[in-house]
Amino acid sequence: MSTPYPFTAVVGQDDLRLALLLNAVSPAVGGVLVRGEKGTAKSTAVRALSALLPEVEVVVGCRFSCAPGAPDPVCPDGPHETGPGSSRPARVVELPVGASEDRLVGALDIERALAEGVKAFEPGLLADANRGVLYVDEVNLLHDHLVDLLLDAAAMGSSYVEREGVSVRHAARFLLVGTMNPEEGELRPQLLDRFGLTVEVAASREPDLRVEVVRRRLAYDDDPAAFAARWADEENALRARIVAARALLPEVRLGDAALRQIAATCAAFEVDGMRADIVMARTATTLAAWAGRTVVLAEDVRQAALLALPHRRRRNPFDAPGLDEEKLDDTLEEFGGGDDTPEDDPDPDGPGGGGQPPQDGPEGPQDGPVDTAEAPAQPEEPAQPEEGQGGRPAGSGEQSAVRAAEPFRTKMLSVPGLGEGATGRRSRARTDHGRTTGSRRPRGALTKLHLAATVQAAAPHQRARGRSGRGLVVRRDDLRQATREGREGNLVLFVVDASGSMAARQRMSAVKGAVLSLLLDAYQRRDKVGLITFRGKDATVALPPTSSVDAAAVRLESLPTGGRTPLSAGLLKAHDVLRVERMRDPARRPLLVVVTDGRATGGPDPVALGTRAARLHAADGTASVVVDCESGPVRLGLAGALAGELGGTAVTLDELRADSIAGLVRDVQGASGAHRRVA
């Protein structure tokens, strides 16, 4: 067994260490979500926590870690007799992003269940994590159906496995810890709210701290056992402090004044529901116990708010997590008073210091977390005005970026046909979840039994198999897998015209609002998105295909306009991007969204070049939609003609709204479909 990196050897990352330690003291806090850029010791710190957790008492031989004093009455390995158990280290169970449903919740032997009436159950990761830690690295990339199972287990403290009327239930109470890189996409709000605390981590910009990180990591890689031995005393001291804080926790008093501050803070920041209040109360109480106090102070409430509220105040995916600390301090001061602060704090480190023993390396706080959602995008190079060309549209010079109009709910745009891509909510696809549409012989392990088809396959052979009783004689060849139809996520590639013809401020604001609305729709439907802009002489990939729609929103907000309209360059750039993405992920079908008024200027015969580029997409069968941005009493219909060459659909900005009176939602036509306008 490999030697884990010592928790006390992690340099800096005070908030991360404190949040993990608070959950080690009180699992009722509700877990931790660690957000941050890659290479910031997120996984290292979580895995190192396992060595600090106190041992747990379990029933001997129970695969579900029942407590000897209070065993689960419906444990599949039960019933258990009360008596002495055995001690074992607390488990940190890792859930891989690509895990199957059976690996998470367990597998039920359907063949034995049908033929013998036996509940032969193989426990999954939820059973392994009971009374321990369930760690999900890259939790934002977890498949939706696994997220749903996690939500159910976290809410009920138990896991249910049901297959065609045969069910098994077992306890699944675990501390949920997840790590994620926000650049790869955000979490669903339901799962986000299940994490008690959240912390933002970033690599320090202080050279001395970075040197110490490298020095310790190299020493650990050279000799893990010797490195761990150097930190053994600090690990034992921290482990003892966790045990002491657990023992003190029941004696901590949460006074009315602190409770009023908690309620007022949650109300001031307009968080949804009451879970935030409960988590803050538990966190503040645990902070007091960690500091060796029996009274919750205002500083505990403040620290609890900084850990428990940032991820709960996001109103939409484009809001950056975080709190206005000045507003927080004003709220605490307004509703403060009541509990007196003791003159002597038993813990000189204070509750915010994480209680870490002195480190060998340089001391000092690490740089504050960097909010990647608000990191400014690199602006595009300004297009140089072209000289000596006639027909230059008004306003074709460089224009400053304008803010997007308010987003709205859009009509659903989907790819025609039946796909087999990643689970999502946009286009029809063959999936593991959804409505049953038929059956087939299983390929590999049986996961979803089609009972009627299985009985139908077994029925003709009952006499030959010597059936004598009421039970059905079922063989493996009789089993049939249910085929299901659900929804998939697509790659939505936006190609946005940022030329001078789009530069009118009110017009560009409306266009950005429409694209922002489509991005919000893509977030809700679990799509990948990409953004290409074209203006001046060329097209630019402003954002390569990614699951982070908020990154696309940032790029869109800073988009300047001006110059001519190289429509063909934008379409050709999109063709190159889609070609590469088809090789990377052949199962994910693309949806091309071109936002333009349809004009093409600059260079020799720009209209013909744009037509030929559009036909490349049509030849590939790429589903497409053109958002027609043309306005005014006289319209040329160029966007509609472009949609015809793409073999797709044209829709105006007004028709894009879900509440538009334009008519029913229709699927986007593929290359084989005729051009039509959503009416």
Side-chain angles (χ1 to χ4, degrees):
M1 181 177 178
S2 61
T3 303
Y5 192 90
F7 188 87
T8 49
V10 175
V11 178
Q13 308 295 15
D14 293 338
D15 287 343
L16 169 59
R17 292 184 297 165
L18 177 60
L20 292 173
L21 290 170
L22 292 177
N23 276 274
V25 172
S26 174
V29 167
V32 187
L33 174 64
V34 187
R35 298 165 48 94
E37 59 196 30
K38 52 188 176 293
T40 49
K42 300 188 299 293
S43 300
T44 299
V46 174
R47 294 187 177 102
L49 180 68
S50 60
L52 300 176
L53 297 176
E55 292 188 340
V56 294
E57 291 284 331
V58 297
V59 173
V60 177
C62 179
R63 298 174 296 171
F64 302 88
S65 303
C66 284
D72 185 0
V74 294
C75 175
D77 285 353
H80 300 302
E81 296 182 0
T82 57
S86 63
S87 297
R88 65 159 175 79
R91 292 173 179 162
V92 176
V93 178
E94 294 193 34
L95 172 61
V97 170
S100 65
E101 179 180 340
D102 284 348
R103 185 71 187 97
L104 177 63
V105 301
L108 192 64
D109 192 327
I110 299 297
E111 184 179 1
R112 291 188 63 190
L114 289 177
E116 306 172 28
V118 176
K119 294 182 180 179
F121 181 67
E122 184 66 28
L125 295 176
L126 290 180
D128 292 342
N130 187 34
R131 303 180 66 202
V133 178
L134 182 62
Y135 169 47
V136 189
D137 195 12
E138 305 293 353
V139 63
N140 51 326
L141 303 182
L142 202 63
H143 289 300
D144 270 5
H145 68 284
L146 297 183
V147 170
D148 293 336
L149 293 170
L150 276 181
L151 289 174
D152 290 341
M156 297 184 296
S158 58
S159 174
Y160 288 85
V161 182
E162 303 221 11
R163 299 285 166 82
E164 304 299 337
V166 181
S167 63
V168 172
R169 190 206 72 83
H170 66 82
R173 296 179 177 87
F174 48 83
L175 170 63
L176 184 61
V177 179
T179 59
M180 61 174 285
N181 184 346
E183 294 177 355
E184 296 172 333
E186 285 293 345
L187 279 175
R188 289 168 53 183
Q190 297 94 327
L191 183 57
L192 201 62
D193 192 46
R194 289 295 176 188
F195 288 98
L197 311 179
T198 184
V199 292
E200 295 273 346
V201 296
S204 173
R205 302 300 184 255
E206 179 63 40
D208 289 341
L209 285 178
R210 297 176 74 96
V211 167
E212 187 62 20
V213 170
V214 175
R215 181 181 292 120
R216 294 186 187 184
R217 186 68 208 192
L218 293 177
Y220 171 77
D221 291 341
D222 288 341
D223 192 342
F227 184 81
R230 283 178 49 198
W231 294 89
D233 292 342
E234 287 83 352
E235 292 281 289
N236 290 333
L238 193 56
R239 190 179 298 111
R241 186 174 178 185
I242 292 173
V243 173
R246 281 190 172 189
L248 182 63
L249 186 61
E251 302 177 22
V252 177
R253 181 174 65 87
L254 180 65
D256 290 341
L259 199 53
R260 282 195 301 272
Q261 286 182 320
I262 290 171
T265 301
C266 293
F269 285 99
E270 300 180 338
V271 296
D272 294 331
M274 294 297 298
R275 184 174 281 116
D277 304 63
I278 297 171
V279 170
M280 271 192 66
R282 290 172 174 166
T283 304
T285 303
T286 308
L287 280 163
W290 181 246
R293 287 187 267 99
T294 57
V295 175
V296 175
L297 305 180
E299 61 190 273
D300 300 323
V301 176
R302 186 182 193 279
Q303 182 68 57
L306 293 175
L307 293 172
L309 296 188
H311 60 302
R312 290 187 166 92
R313 59 163 295 276
R314 301 186 72 192
R315 314 311 297 180
N316 66 63
F318 308 134
D319 288 340
L323 288 183
D324 183 343
E325 295 195 30
E326 184 176 346
K327 179 179 179 180
L328 173 61
D329 291 335
D330 291 342
T331 303
L332 294 176
E333 183 178 353
E334 179 182 355
F335 291 89
D339 298 332
D340 295 329
T341 303
E343 294 181 3
D344 297 323
D345 190 343
D347 177 19
D349 292 333
Q356 295 297 331
Q359 298 181 348
D360 293 343
E363 295 294 329
Q366 187 165 358
D367 289 354
V370 175
D371 188 348
T372 55
E374 290 185 340
Q378 293 297 324
E380 298 183 49
E381 289 295 328
Q384 297 298 323
E386 301 180 50
E387 300 292 340
Q389 296 190 23
R392 179 176 177 179
S396 60
E398 178 73 21
Q399 303 289 325
S400 60
V402 299
R403 295 188 61 84
E406 283 297 314
F408 52 84
R409 190 166 64 91
T410 66
K411 288 183 177 179
M412 180 173 172
L413 305 173
S414 61
V415 179
L418 198 62
E420 295 182 346
T423 302
R425 298 183 178 181
R426 184 171 296 279
S427 304
R428 294 173 54 228
R430 298 182 185 90
T431 61
D432 293 333
H433 301 267
R435 64 184 182 89
T436 301
T437 58
S439 65
R440 60 172 173 80
R441 291 181 181 274
R443 306 185 189 101
L446 179 72
T447 55
K448 297 292 183 182
L449 178 74
H450 195 295
L451 183 59
T454 298
V455 172
Q456 187 177 11
H461 308 292
Q462 296 305 294
R463 180 175 296 180
R465 294 173 181 174
R467 174 185 172 185
S468 57
R470 299 179 61 183
L472 190 67
V473 182
V474 179
R475 303 276 173 82
R476 180 163 293 277
D477 289 343
D478 302 327
L479 299 178
R480 295 294 182 268
Q481 175 86 23
T483 57
R484 303 194 173 203
E485 182 179 311
R487 293 277 172 178
E488 68 177 359
N490 298 112
L491 166 59
V492 182
L493 183 60
F494 294 92
V495 182
V496 180
D497 185 350
S499 64
S501 62
M502 304 281 287
R505 297 187 66 84
Q506 188 173 10
R507 183 179 183 187
M508 197 61 197
S509 176
V511 169
K512 285 187 175 183
V515 177
L516 198 64
S517 304
L518 291 167
L519 284 171
L520 181 59
D521 181 69
Y523 165 80
Q524 294 168 341
R525 301 191 187 281
R526 311 292 180 264
D527 295 318
K528 288 180 68 175
V529 297
L531 178 63
I532 293 173
T533 64
F534 61 93
R535 66 188 184 94
K537 297 181 179 179
D538 203 358
T540 303
V541 180
L543 184 71
T546 176
S547 297
S548 179
V549 295
D550 50 348
V554 171
R555 301 297 195 277
L556 179 72
E557 192 68 29
S558 60
L559 176 67
T561 58
R564 293 195 174 275
T565 313
L567 176 62
S568 60
L571 295 176
L572 289 174
K573 183 73 72 174
H575 187 265
D576 290 341
V577 170
L578 293 180
R579 176 178 55 81
V580 173
E581 288 300 311
R582 284 191 181 97
M583 292 188 288
R584 289 177 176 169
D585 189 359
R588 189 180 289 270
R589 298 186 294 165
L591 173 61
L592 181 66
V593 179
V594 185
V595 184
T596 182
D597 56 9
R599 290 180 172 84
T601 60
D605 206 355
V607 176
L609 288 175
T611 298
R612 287 199 292 270
R615 289 174 181 172
L616 288 176
H617 290 283
D620 288 340
T622 303
S624 59
V625 59
V626 178
V627 179
D628 186 358
C629 302
E630 193 174 24
S631 59
V634 179
R635 303 195 180 192
L636 303 178
L638 299 177
L642 175 62
E645 298 295 345
L646 287 167
T649 300
V651 56
T652 66
L653 290 175
D654 289 338
E655 292 169 342
L656 190 62
R657 293 178 177 270
D659 55 358
S660 167
I661 61 173
L664 299 176
V665 177
R666 303 178 184 175
D667 283 351
V668 177
Q669 288 292 315
S672 59
H675 158 58
R676 56 180 168 79
R677 176 178 293 277
V678 175

